[in-house]
């Protein structure tokens, strides 16, 4: 996972580490800076959660397989 050399990205990581919610209330921030901030928050969140268990991975794979089948109109 790449980490941009952006103050907004690192501010987002710091916000997550401090336990602040993933929202920005300052309307003056540009769209790109807002995206970088959220990416930083998400990267830190992933670090804090750790790797998913095999059970969670299997559950997600089954969910997406069922969703694909449903979207294609197939009956399970």
């Amino acid at each position: 996972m790449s980490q941009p050399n952006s103050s907004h990205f690192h501010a987002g990581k710091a916000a997550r580490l401090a336990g602040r919610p993933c929202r920005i209330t300052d309307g003056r921030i540009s769209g790109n800076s807002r995206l970088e901030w959220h990416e930083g928050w998400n990267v830190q969140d992933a670090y804090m959660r750790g790797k998913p268990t095999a059970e969670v991975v299997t559950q997600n794979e089954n969910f997406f397989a069922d969703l694909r089948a449903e979207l294609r109109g197939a009956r399970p």
Side-chain angles (χ1 to χ4, degrees):
M1 199 176 293
S2 68
Q3 296 190 18
N5 190 15
S6 158
S7 61
H8 298 290
F9 180 88
H10 294 291
K13 282 181 65 175
R16 176 60 183 111
L17 191 59
R20 293 197 301 268
C22 185
R23 63 186 152 117
I24 302 172
T25 57
D26 189 347
R28 298 171 293 176
I29 191 169
S30 73
N32 190 46
S33 296
R34 184 178 301 270
L35 287 174
E36 289 177 356
W37 192 95
H38 284 292
E39 287 174 6
W41 196 95
N42 290 334
V43 164
Q44 185 63 42
D45 187 55
Y47 286 149
M48 292 169 71
R49 278 186 280 128
K51 291 189 180 265
T53 63
E55 180 182 355
V56 170
V57 170
T58 302
Q59 184 180 26
N60 287 341
E61 288 172 352
N62 291 338
F63 169 78
F64 286 115
D66 292 345
L67 181 61
R68 277 191 301 276
E70 183 179 331
L71 292 173
R72 290 182 180 141
R75 307 257 177 199

